[in-house]
Amino acid sequence: MIIGISIALILASGLMILLVLLHKGKGGGLSDMFGGGFSSNFGGSSVVERNLDRLTIITGTVWFVCIIALGLLMKP
């Protein structure tokens, strides 16, 4: 059980890093390199940003639940 939650935590952490880097930044940066041109070509970045926000919130919730579950399972 602990190994499965640990693997889910590692995957959620990696996905969270990727999703945060894909968000549109004020100055561009990595968001322009990965997703900036993609979102502007497909009819308005607001829909893409909204979906990216939702996916980031869901991933953050999974990450938080994994942290809490590991804390409760590893408690002596």
Side-chain angles (χ1 to χ4, degrees), residues 22 24 30-41 45:
L22 285 176
K24 186 173 184 179
L30 286 178
S31 62
D32 283 341
M33 184 170 54
F34 291 118
F38 178 78
S39 62
S40 64
N41 288 339
S45 62

Side-chain angles (χ1 to χ4, degrees), residues 12-37 39 48-49 52-53 55-56 59:
S13 298
L15 186 59
M16 181 69 86
I17 291 170
L18 179 69
L19 290 172
V20 168
L21 287 175
L22 285 176
H23 273 85
K24 186 173 184 179
K26 291 182 181 178
L30 286 178
S31 62
D32 283 341
M33 184 170 54
F34 291 118
S39 62
V48 174
E49 282 291 322
L52 190 58
D53 288 341
L55 193 57
T56 304
T59 305

